[in-house]
Amino acid sequence: MTAIRTDKLSKTYTKKLTQKVVALKDLDLEVKRGEIFGFLGPNGAGKSTTITLLMNLIRPTSGSASILGIPVTEASSRKRLGYLPENLDLPLEKKRPISGYSKGMVQRVGLAQAVFHDPEVIILDEPMSGLDPPGRKLVADLMLELRARGKTIFFSTHILHDVEVICDRIGIITKGQLRFCGTLVDVISESFSAYEVSLRKVLPEHVKALTDQGLTPRTVEDKVKVEVPKDDLAAFVDTFVSQSVEVVAIEPKRLTLEDFFMGFVNQ
């Protein structure tokens, strides 16, 4: 069964009576049971809007969402759901405000109330924002422990390191639209477009041939290195090996997760 599902989920706000602000547009998303799903995006991307829609704290302009197969408009969808908002504000005993606690302590209290009733699905809005490294590790370890117990965790973040460490799948959202959804293996596949080939025994005529092909050879110590599009690799190697050029190494060129993410942000 799917843990969380949205179908064409959209939210548009009206400002100053006539100005329309699209916070979320046609979000189609499926979170599987038993996985940690990281919802990644810059500030203002639509992450918190999505979460408040899932919690039925606001209503969509169009589209729908469900949790464990139950529409979020039904109160029963939240019976097996735990939730940590981005800004937690709970009173404690003796009327001591939680605002007097450190960020790490506030997150501990928030996480405790989110999982106390042993929910099947846990939604966390920026759970690691503002935490120091020990605090972030504590939250990450808790997520992994909950997944090991079969729980589903959906959390929003803009901290790339956290995504790489614990997520089974990620979604990247910018400007209210989902730009990517998949595993980190999918990220590697999509961000890989070329190989760096190291060559030896390269003569001036070979350098000219590389330049004529629109490639940019670089001399590094006793080798010539050139970046070759992945679809052209086989033909490239065959051509130069047949001319007695020695192929020393072939290394894939991949974007980091940060570069991959920023590619969507800068669109």
Side-chain angles (χ1 to χ4, degrees), residues 4 8 12 17 21 31 43 53 60 73 97 105 113 124-125 132 137 159 161 175 181 186 189 196 220 235 249:
I4 298 172
K8 302 297 180 185
T12 299
L17 299 180
V21 178
V31 178
N43 292 333
L53 285 166
T73 52
M105 288 301 297
Q113 64 85 29
L124 310 173
D125 194 357
D132 58 11
K137 185 178 187 305
I159 301 172
H161 176 265
K175 300 176 182 177
C181 186
D186 295 329
S189 177
E196 184 177 74
V220 181

Side-chain angles (χ1 to χ4, degrees), residues 15 40 43 64 71 79 98 106 114 122 124 132 181 227 247 256:
K15 295 177 64 177
L40 184 64
N43 292 333
S64 62
K79 289 183 66 175
I98 199 170
V106 169
I122 302 152
L124 310 173
D132 58 11
C181 186
E227 192 170 302
V247 177
T256 64

Side-chain angles (χ1 to χ4, degrees), residues 19-39:
Q19 183 182 355
K20 301 290 186 180
V21 178
V22 178
L24 192 66
K25 183 177 180 181
D26 295 334
L27 177 65
D28 288 328
L29 188 64
E30 184 176 342
V31 178
K32 302 172 184 176
R33 295 191 70 170
E35 73 174 346
I36 299 177
F37 188 96
F39 201 41

Side-chain angles (χ1 to χ4, degrees), residues 4-254:
I4 298 172
R5 183 183 181 90
T6 69
D7 294 289
K8 302 297 180 185
L9 192 64
S10 301
K11 181 63 177 179
T12 299
Y13 294 97
T14 302
K15 295 177 64 177
K16 298 180 180 179
L17 299 180
T18 59
Q19 183 182 355
K20 301 290 186 180
V21 178
V22 178
L24 192 66
K25 183 177 180 181
D26 295 334
L27 177 65
D28 288 328
L29 188 64
E30 184 176 342
V31 178
K32 302 172 184 176
R33 295 191 70 170
E35 73 174 346
I36 299 177
F37 188 96
F39 201 41
L40 184 64
N43 292 333
K47 304 189 302 295
S48 290
T49 296
T50 300
I51 287 176
T52 50
L53 285 166
L54 290 173
M55 296 304 302
N56 200 42
L57 297 173
I58 59 175
R59 295 298 178 91
T61 304
S62 60
S64 62
S66 62
I67 295 173
L68 296 173
I70 304 172
V72 298
T73 52
E74 297 182 19
S76 58
S77 69
R78 291 177 288 284
K79 289 183 66 175
R80 294 177 286 171
L81 177 66
Y83 171 52
L84 174 66
E86 182 177 6
N87 299 306
L88 188 66
D89 187 15
L90 293 175
L92 297 182
E93 62 181 10
K94 297 177 184 181
K95 299 182 180 179
R96 182 178 179 184
I98 199 170
S99 59
Y101 280 60
S102 69
K103 178 68 173 179
M105 288 301 297
V106 169
Q107 290 300 78
R108 285 174 172 84
V109 172
L111 287 166
Q113 64 85 29
V115 303
F116 179 77
H117 56 299
D118 195 30
E120 292 184 39
V121 178
I122 302 152
I123 296 178
L124 310 173
D125 194 357
E126 297 279 359
M128 300 180 186
S129 179
L131 295 181
D132 58 11
R136 285 165 50 193
K137 185 178 187 305
L138 182 147
V139 175
D141 289 347
L142 177 60
M143 288 190 194
L144 292 171
E145 179 185 332
L146 289 167
R147 182 186 63 183
R149 291 165 50 195
K151 310 301 184 182
T152 303
I153 301 157
F154 177 94
F155 78 102
S156 66
T157 186
H158 59 270
I159 301 172
L160 299 176
H161 176 265
D162 300 329
V163 167
E164 292 182 290
V165 170
I166 63 173
C167 287
D168 298 297
R169 290 194 304 137
I170 65 171
I172 296 176
I173 185 172
T174 64
K175 300 176 182 177
Q177 292 184 278
L178 189 66
R179 310 290 182 173
F180 171 85
C181 186
T183 66
L184 292 179
V185 172
D186 295 329
V187 172
I188 291 172
S189 177
E190 292 205 17
S191 64
F192 162 51
S193 61
Y195 291 95
E196 184 177 74
V197 182
S198 298
L199 306 170
R200 281 202 186 105
K201 299 181 181 178
V202 179
L203 302 176
E205 55 266 32
H206 299 140
V207 174
K208 183 179 184 304
L210 291 169
T211 305
D212 289 344
Q213 293 178 36
L215 303 176
T216 306
R218 299 179 294 114
T219 301
V220 181
E221 297 178 346
D222 62 336
K223 298 183 287 291
V224 171
K225 295 191 174 186
V226 60
E227 192 170 302
V228 180
K230 64 179 181 180
D231 294 336
D232 299 340
L233 180 66
F236 176 90
V237 171
D238 287 344
T239 297
F240 284 92
V241 167
S242 68
Q243 298 177 27
S244 300
V245 175
E246 182 181 345
V247 177
V248 178
I250 300 175
E251 299 179 2
K253 297 285 289 183
R254 295 190 177 98

